[in-house]
Amino acid sequence: MSDDPLAAIVPKPEGERAIAALREEGVYDESRTVREAGEGALALPVTHPPTETDVHEVIRQPEPEVRAPGLEDLLAEQGWSDAEIERVPGSWAVIGSVILVDLAGCPREAEVGGALLELHGGADTVLARGGISGEHREPSVRVVAGAGDTETIHTEHGTKYALDLARVMFSPGNKRERHRMGEIVEEGERVLDMFAGIGYFALPMARGGARVIAVERNPVAFRYLLENAVLNGVEDRIDAYRADCRDVEVEEGVDRVVMGYYDAAEPRVDGNGEADGSYEYLPSAFGALRDGGVLHMHEATPEAELWDRPVSRLREAAANAGRGVEILDTRRVKSHSAGVAHVVVDARVGRSG
């Protein structure tokens, strides 16, 4: 008789319920991974045939996939104490061949970096990330393990991003929003991306059929924007300008404007540091949009002011420009910092009155 381990077959929709029941019964095998078992079914690893959990059948599973150990498991094997492991980061981002991780307060950084490389076999460099600073939003990073190559190509929902993580920023938490922008554009739409960076939103929108005016003033990010347009085969759909977005004239109204820089909605302040009711970038966005076009405004907003602050800023700036706005959607993208959320407001822009 075969000595291959056992697996219980259940329908996919019943997977989570069945796993919980098998754990309660004490027969779920945590050392192996769940695998698909044909169309619409899952093979759940078990140590013994279940007697209390309803499953379709129990089979022998040749060549089972062993569950990879986690970071804490690897460090524990190296002799780390429980107190040290408590200071280990609970999450990190794999961007192409680079692992980006916040190691603030973490002991033995090099050992953590080595363990992360062991967990992610396709990666070759681990970077400890600091803050973002300067007018070009430049990242602060340190190599803590691996080859030290900070340049990579990251693929996300089919879009390829070439970048140097030591020179340009990349936010893993914006992944869903980048994908969404590629899904909502229509073939032939004209879009203005006011803060294009390396093509975070411009690339998926161009791949979705839009014609994108992409503006970026950081010379390094601009070089990658051009490279990425070619890399994704959309160079004929992206008109790139290395400039301040306020200086780019759009002759005909565009269908959509993306303001992906979340400080761009900040009001101007007077000599006393008080808001004077005017805005640096929103007038340019309204000036570019056709009647009925859509604006996607990103902002870093204190939790206590959701959604009043971003919406009121948008309405005030629109009124100043003689435009009217209809709020279409408000979305929380991710946490920005303690008590502050990165949000997006979608608004249809028309003529006032």
Side-chain angles (χ1 to χ4, degrees):
M1 185 175 181
S2 173
D3 291 329
D4 291 331
L6 301 173
I9 307 301
V10 301
K12 279 187 178 180
E14 296 295 317
E16 289 188 16
R17 179 204 60 79
I19 289 173
L22 291 168
R23 282 190 173 125
E24 187 173 349
E25 190 176 339
V27 297
Y28 187 70
D29 188 350
E30 303 281 0
S31 70
R32 289 182 284 138
T33 63
V34 174
R35 298 171 64 175
E36 292 193 355
E39 187 174 351
L42 295 174
L44 308 182
V46 292
T47 56
H48 298 87
T51 58
E52 302 172 13
T53 305
D54 185 22
V55 300
H56 178 65
E57 64 176 324
V58 176
I59 65 169
R60 292 285 177 180
Q61 191 176 57
E63 300 181 0
E65 295 180 11
V66 177
R67 183 182 298 278
L71 178 60
E72 295 180 357
D73 299 320
L74 291 178
L75 296 176
E77 290 175 2
Q78 295 176 27
W80 280 49
S81 68
D82 290 344
E84 289 176 314
I85 289 175
E86 285 181 1
R87 297 163 60 192
V88 168
S91 63
W92 50 87
V94 182
I95 302 172
S97 59
V98 178
I99 300 171
L100 195 61
V101 59
D102 184 352
L103 292 174
C106 179
R108 296 197 255 174
E109 291 183 353
E111 292 182 28
V112 173
L116 287 172
L117 289 175
E118 186 175 344
L119 286 175
H120 301 280
D124 59 21
T125 296
V126 179
L127 297 180
R129 64 180 174 190
I132 304 292
S133 62
E135 66 172 314
H136 289 157
R137 306 289 291 166
E138 296 169 343
S140 172
V141 298
R142 293 181 292 106
V143 176
V144 297
D149 187 359
T150 59
E151 193 169 31
T152 189
I153 296 177
H154 177 66
T155 302
E156 192 177 271
H157 295 293
T159 301
K160 297 180 178 66
Y161 296 95
L163 73 161
D164 185 338
L165 286 160
R167 304 183 71 189
V168 296
M169 60 178 292
F170 190 88
S171 177
N174 294 357
K175 178 178 181 178
R176 183 178 299 178
E177 187 67 15
R178 287 189 287 267
H179 178 60
R180 191 186 79 93
M181 294 306 298
E183 293 287 303
I184 64 174
V185 294
E186 297 181 1
E187 184 74 31
E189 264 194 10
R190 296 182 69 243
V191 179
L192 170 62
D193 186 351
M194 295 177 67
F195 307 92
I198 64 170
Y200 310 110
F201 299 114
L203 293 169
M205 289 189 295
R207 293 184 66 237
R211 177 95 185 185
V212 184
I213 301 167
V215 187
E216 175 54 46
R217 66 182 183 180
N218 180 333
V220 176
F222 184 76
R223 175 172 66 82
Y224 280 111
L225 171 63
L226 298 178
E227 179 180 336
N228 286 328
V230 175
L231 185 63
N232 286 275
V234 293
E235 63 270 29
D236 60 334
R237 291 184 176 272
I238 293 182
D239 297 321
Y241 296 87
R242 185 189 160 198
D244 186 307
C245 57
R246 293 167 294 188
D247 298 331
V248 176
E249 294 185 9
V250 181
E251 295 181 359
E252 300 177 9
V254 298
D255 302 298
R256 196 179 301 272
V257 170
V258 180
M259 295 178 67
Y261 173 43
Y262 44 65
D263 284 342
E266 289 290 321
R268 290 194 182 104
V269 296
D270 59 23
N272 298 318
E274 299 292 330
D276 65 6
S278 63
Y279 293 83
E280 290 284 355
Y281 295 100
L282 280 166
S284 297
F286 290 126
L289 275 167
R290 65 168 176 81
D291 187 19
V294 175
L295 172 63
H296 305 277
M297 186 189 84
H298 292 236
E299 190 188 272
T301 308
E303 296 278 356
E305 297 184 64
L306 291 177
W307 292 91
D308 292 340
R309 193 180 83 171
V311 171
S312 64
R313 285 179 170 179
L314 184 56
R315 291 193 186 282
E316 181 179 45
N320 292 346
R323 307 296 292 268
V325 294
E326 173 194 357
I327 305 302
L328 301 176
D329 192 18
T330 56
R331 288 182 314 288
R332 184 191 301 263
V333 177
K334 65 180 186 301
S335 174
H336 173 266
S337 56
V340 179
H342 174 185
V343 302
V344 183
V345 177
D346 295 344
R348 190 173 305 282
V349 178
R351 300 295 173 187
S352 64

